[in-house]
Amino acid sequence: MKNEWKKGLVLFSAMLSPLAMADWQVDVNFKMDRAGKHHSAQSSVSLIPGEETVLFDNGTPSGSLIGKAELLEVTADEVKISLLVQEQCDDGAWRTIMSPIVSAGLNAPASINTSNEHLDEFASLEVEITSV
């Protein structure tokens, strides 16, 4: 019981720190090329700790492309977020294009690139995190 109380006190103290109380903004630029077709999405949204945030949702008649983010951790040096980009296939199932965990400094853009040779696909995601 005593350890649980200490853990709760540490968590409460962390939540009161200026970093935990800050508002976090993420700017995203996603690009994907597949077999000569180009898809892109840009957005700028606020992240709320512990909640999944939709970055973009490009619904089209041939399927949707959706990006989501979740703020995982904030330290004095960096912010860690989980990203997920998925595409809806013709059969209605969802295919994950990328799902990285990104650690980035404030106002220091991070880039993630991935390729799928089987689908002749290349995807890139640029992320910048700021405190507002």
Side-chain angles (χ1 to χ4, degrees), residues 50-115:
E51 291 186 22
E52 187 174 73
T53 302
V54 174
L55 300 171
F56 55 85
D57 186 353
N58 293 354
T60 64
S62 62
S64 290
L65 184 64
I66 190 165
K68 299 176 184 178
E70 184 177 345
L71 182 62
L72 298 176
E73 184 180 338
V74 177
T75 67
D77 300 324
E78 65 184 16
V79 177
K80 186 182 289 187
I81 60 174
S82 170
L83 297 164
L84 175 66
V85 179
Q86 293 182 310
E87 173 185 48
Q88 189 173 23
C89 301
D90 293 336
D91 63 2
W94 287 91
R95 179 180 77 90
T96 298
I97 296 169
M98 61 173 57
S99 61
I101 293 180
V102 177
S103 295
L106 291 178
N107 304 316
S111 296
I112 300 97
N113 297 310
T114 185
S115 61

Side-chain angles (χ1 to χ4, degrees), residues 19-78:
L19 288 174
M21 300 297 284
D23 291 328
W24 301 101
Q25 184 84 16
V26 63
D27 299 324
V28 174
N29 185 16
F30 175 77
K31 295 178 184 173
M32 183 174 74
D33 291 303
R34 179 176 47 229
K37 293 183 180 178
H38 179 75
H39 302 278
S40 65
Q42 293 180 321
S43 69
S44 182
V45 298
S46 293
L47 294 175
I48 299 170
E51 291 186 22
E52 187 174 73
T53 302
V54 174
L55 300 171
F56 55 85
D57 186 353
N58 293 354
T60 64
S62 62
S64 290
L65 184 64
I66 190 165
K68 299 176 184 178
E70 184 177 345
L71 182 62
L72 298 176
E73 184 180 338
V74 177
T75 67
D77 300 324
E78 65 184 16

Side-chain angles (χ1 to χ4, degrees), residues 1-7:
M1 183 76 168
K2 189 174 183 180
N3 284 340
E4 288 178 17
W5 184 80
K6 285 183 182 179
K7 184 177 175 183

